[in-house]
Amino acid sequence: MGDVAMMVPVVHALAQQYPHVRVTVLSKPFARPFFEALAPNVGFMAIDPRKEAQGLHGLNVLYRRLVAKRFTAIADFHDVLRTKYLRMRFNVDRFPVAHINKHRSGKRRLTAAQGKRLEQQPTSFQNYADVLARLGYPVKMEFTSLFDGRNAACQDLPIKYGSRAKEEHWIGIAPFAAHRGKIYPLRKMREVIALWTAQHPQDRIFLFGGGKEECAQLDALVDAFPNCVNVASLSAGLSEELVLMKHLDVMVSMDSANMHLASLVALPVVSVWGATHPYAGFMGWGQREETAVQVDLPCRPCSIYGNKPCLRGDYACMEQIMPKRIVDSMNAVLQG
């Protein structure tokens, strides 16, 4: 989801700067809220790869559907096995095609156990823009928010979330990620909530997560802290969560999809980084490096996606981050 969310500023720039160009985004159904109101000349085509693009037969069926739309250029922002095959078909039929350069060699040096080179890699936003430039559509990215006035009707917060008191802050916390190397220990996140609640007893904290196991853990936090709300128990889906995020004051998130969702509605994020690093190019749109909480260790980063086992075995990259550091960063965002 994070990779798709990072497409939004780039697709927005393309649509705004080339209003005569009709843009169709092909992705999984969950991504529709990102693009359906982005610009008048942006459309969305949903595809479930496990059902509609399974094997060569499914990919060939999908290719025929795509060719029927008579595209004049193809931008592959994903560069995986399925898209490589589709690119090959488009190339054979002489369509202009360009694909993303993921700069894997630079990322290998960034995560090397020996001879590590801690250098900023091109961001995903730049990588996507480079694809468009190779197709003849250079863009200047000027995106602010999904809710910038074009779709004002979608900005009203559902009544079930309540109203905010005058002195009350609304805080978001998204404590989960896909891999352990990107997850701040939940016992330490409880300390973050306890510290914040002691400092700001009037504030409300919205907890973001999904799945049966995650929701059970969030419910336990709600039982321990009455000022917490499990968003999954109220939300009607991604579109509604984006609207809720728009009304928050700050979000605490891992290097995860929620960091990118918050970024799409211009919500400041205190991001927590463990095995991964902002230098890999996945910082949220418009987020500042000063609000990235991390510790300097010679082994960091050890992984681009956080999916490798800890070389030390103790996940010190997360364990050594004190809850007070996160709380201090949250306070700094609100005061700034």
Side-chain angles (χ1 to χ4, degrees):
M1 184 182 293
D3 288 342
V4 179
M6 294 176 83
M7 290 170 51
V8 171
V10 184
V11 174
H12 174 267
L14 175 66
Q16 292 292 313
Q17 293 160 37
Y18 298 91
H20 62 286
V21 172
R22 178 70 185 172
V23 182
T24 299
V25 176
L26 174 69
S27 189
K28 294 180 180 179
F30 76 80
R32 186 179 297 277
F34 297 150
F35 302 101
E36 61 184 354
L38 191 62
N41 55 329
V42 174
F44 184 81
M45 180 177 175
I47 179 75
D48 185 341
R50 290 176 295 183
K51 295 179 180 179
E52 302 171 80
Q54 193 70 271
L56 288 180
H57 173 72
L59 287 171
N60 287 329
V61 171
L62 174 59
Y63 177 72
R64 289 193 291 271
R65 287 178 59 193
L66 295 173
V67 167
K69 292 182 176 291
R70 302 176 66 184
F71 295 120
T72 54
I74 310 297
D76 177 6
F77 283 0
H78 203 24
D79 191 33
V80 295
L81 191 59
R82 287 189 178 96
T83 62
K84 289 177 190 289
Y85 179 78
L86 292 173
R87 280 200 334 251
M88 180 271 292
R89 292 293 312 268
F90 280 116
N91 275 317
V92 168
D93 288 339
R94 300 183 181 279
F95 284 83
V97 180
H99 68 278
I100 188 172
N101 178 355
K102 296 184 177 180
H103 299 278
R104 291 187 172 92
S105 59
K107 290 174 180 175
R108 281 195 294 270
R109 292 190 294 270
L110 180 66
T111 57
Q114 303 293 330
K116 184 185 297 293
R117 293 176 61 177
L118 204 61
E119 298 176 345
Q120 177 68 57
Q121 300 301 302
T123 67
S124 292
F125 308 108
Q126 186 59 56
N127 293 337
Y128 294 152
D130 289 344
V131 176
L132 299 180
R134 289 195 290 273
L135 289 171
Y137 299 97
V139 296
K140 180 180 179 182
M141 287 175 284
E142 300 172 328
F143 178 79
T144 302
S145 170
L146 283 173
F147 302 112
D148 66 352
R150 291 188 309 277
N151 47 357
C154 302
Q155 299 185 44
D156 294 334
L157 187 70
I159 193 170
K160 59 189 171 185
Y161 293 106
S163 57
R164 175 161 40 182
K166 184 176 181 180
E167 300 301 324
E168 181 182 48
H169 295 116
W170 280 17
I171 310 299
I173 295 182
F176 303 114
H179 305 290
R180 183 180 175 185
K182 298 201 293 185
I183 300 176
Y184 191 57
L186 198 60
R187 69 182 187 282
K188 297 176 82 71
M189 189 59 79
R190 288 176 68 98
E191 294 182 50
V192 171
I193 296 173
L195 283 171
W196 189 265
T197 301
Q199 293 181 15
H200 306 274
Q202 76 282 1
D203 288 358
R204 201 178 318 180
I205 298 174
F206 294 87
L207 304 173
F208 292 81
K212 186 176 180 180
E213 184 177 345
E214 290 184 2
C215 285
Q217 293 174 307
L218 296 183
D219 284 338
L221 290 174
V222 171
D223 291 340
F225 301 97
N227 59 330
C228 288
V229 177
N230 182 353
V231 173
S233 67
L234 296 176
S235 172
L238 178 59
S239 295
E240 191 172 289
E241 289 191 15
L242 287 166
V243 173
L244 173 60
M245 287 182 187
K246 175 188 175 293
H247 288 80
L248 302 182
D249 297 296
V250 64
M251 168 76 84
V252 177
S253 175
M254 309 300 103
D255 170 20
S256 68
N258 279 296
M259 172 179 63
H260 298 292
L261 300 185
S263 301
L264 293 185
V265 297
L267 171 63
V269 177
V270 173
S271 52
V272 183
W273 301 76
T276 59
H277 197 286
Y279 279 6
F282 299 113
M283 178 70 86
W285 174 259
Q287 301 300 335
R288 300 170 59 187
E289 189 174 339
E290 303 93 279
T291 63
V293 179
Q294 52 191 328
V295 294
D296 291 329
L297 292 170
C299 56
R300 279 195 70 236
C302 64
S303 173
I304 295 299
Y305 305 110
N307 56 339
K308 295 181 179 178
C310 176
L311 297 173
R312 296 168 48 118
D314 60 357
Y315 290 92
C317 55
M318 284 297 192
E319 293 288 349
Q320 291 186 14
I321 297 175
M322 295 296 103
K324 185 177 182 300
R325 277 196 63 193
I326 297 176
V327 170
D328 288 346
S329 294
M330 295 164 65
N331 277 313
V333 169
L334 294 183
Q335 292 166 6

